[in-house]
Amino acid sequence: MADDVKRAPERAKRLPRAVREKQILDAAVRVFSLHGYHSASMDEISEVAGVSKPMIYSYLGAKEDLFLHCIRREAGRLLEAVQAGIKPDLSPDMQLWHGLRSFYGFVAEYRESWTVLHRQALTVGGPFAGEIDTLRGKAIELVSALVVSAGSRKGLAEQAEFSGEGLAVALVGAAESLADWWLDHSDVSDGVLASWLMNLIWLGFNDLVEGEVWRPTEQ
């Protein structure tokens, strides 16, 4: 087993099913994030979790099922963190700011989770990538609603509705790429990342909802 994966001190017994599943999933996320889906072994996950392989199979299925459970749990936790950070009583830009802070705060605290979601799941593809597409779609809905809300406040709801989804796709993609870059540049704070993205994206959003649209000067 790799030296940098912490071994469970002993095999716990008679734990409630929910506690046991969390124990297995925590270990699986750790191992998958370190080795990737194909190289991760059920033997190592069993050892890190402190449970037998038959118990893993009984609770969460084989390796493919286990990886899918990890993706769904981490995706749910990430989305909940972002939703909890958005304060509906604030202006759209401040809602987005807090949402981004929550997003990068999650990535900072759960780097292994983000590695599994953004690096491992997308690399493997198939149904795993489909789960990430679902997560991304929900994030796009959140951001699009903020863009439309900002436009509606300026009396430009129709224009904001027309462009909102496309702009939200751009912002979510930029946020994900920046988070992935951050894994290798952890000296930058989550607040700085959120500020960079707000200055890059929201200023353009604001111009758009104010009716200021860039057009090329030459055809």
Side-chain angles (χ1 to χ4, degrees), residues 50-62:
V51 303
S52 67
K53 282 201 297 182
M55 181 174 287
I56 295 177
Y57 296 140
S58 174
Y59 278 38
L60 295 167

Side-chain angles (χ1 to χ4, degrees), residues 32-33 35-37 67 115-125:
F32 283 132
S33 71
H35 302 303
Y37 173 73
F67 191 53
T115 298
V116 168
L117 288 173
H118 199 255
R119 289 188 172 178
Q120 310 299 357
L122 291 176
T123 299
V124 178

Side-chain angles (χ1 to χ4, degrees), residues 11 20 24 40-63 66:
R11 295 183 184 273
R20 182 70 78 191
I24 295 170
S41 72
M42 294 296 278
D43 286 327
E44 184 170 358
I45 293 171
S46 168
E47 192 168 3
V48 173
V51 303
S52 67
K53 282 201 297 182
M55 181 174 287
I56 295 177
Y57 296 140
S58 174
Y59 278 38
L60 295 167
K63 184 178 177 180
L66 180 60

Side-chain angles (χ1 to χ4, degrees), residues 29 33 74-75 77-78 103-104 106-122 132 135-136 172-183:
V29 167
S33 71
E74 302 316 304
R77 293 171 67 197
L78 172 57
F103 169 63
Y104 289 121
F106 179 92
V107 175
E109 186 173 357
Y110 303 103
R111 293 172 64 86
E112 293 171 341
S113 299
W114 180 250
T115 298
V116 168
L117 288 173
H118 199 255
R119 289 188 172 178
Q120 310 299 357
L122 291 176
I132 304 305
L135 170 65
R136 183 177 291 126
V172 170
E176 291 176 343
S177 296
L178 193 55
D180 198 45
W181 173 86
W182 193 30
L183 292 178

Side-chain angles (χ1 to χ4, degrees), residues 110-212:
Y110 303 103
R111 293 172 64 86
E112 293 171 341
S113 299
W114 180 250
T115 298
V116 168
L117 288 173
H118 199 255
R119 289 188 172 178
Q120 310 299 357
L122 291 176
T123 299
V124 178
F128 307 128
E131 293 291 328
I132 304 305
D133 287 340
T134 298
L135 170 65
R136 183 177 291 126
K138 293 177 179 178
I140 289 169
E141 288 179 5
L142 284 174
V143 177
S144 181
L146 294 179
V147 175
V148 172
S149 176
S152 298
R153 292 188 178 201
K154 300 293 185 178
L156 297 168
E158 184 177 350
Q159 180 175 321
E161 287 175 2
F162 173 73
S163 58
E165 183 177 354
L167 294 173
V169 169
L171 187 145
V172 170
E176 291 176 343
S177 296
L178 193 55
D180 198 45
W181 173 86
W182 193 30
L183 292 178
D184 302 317
H185 301 81
S186 55
D187 55 316
V188 181
S189 72
D190 60 317
V192 169
L193 288 180
S195 294
W196 285 351
L197 206 54
M198 287 297 295
N199 279 281
L200 177 66
I201 299 293
W202 190 260
L203 290 180
F205 281 177
N206 189 62
D207 286 346
L208 211 60
V209 299
E210 291 283 357
E212 298 179 15

Side-chain angles (χ1 to χ4, degrees), residues 53-95:
K53 282 201 297 182
M55 181 174 287
I56 295 177
Y57 296 140
S58 174
Y59 278 38
L60 295 167
K63 184 178 177 180
E64 181 176 353
D65 300 314
L66 180 60
F67 191 53
L68 193 58
H69 279 295
C70 288
I71 293 171
R72 287 175 176 170
R73 188 188 74 163
E74 302 316 304
R77 293 171 67 197
L78 172 57
L79 191 61
E80 287 175 4
V82 173
Q83 290 174 325
I86 297 176
K87 305 180 184 345
D89 55 322
L90 297 179
S91 61
D93 61 322
M94 289 306 297
Q95 289 185 54

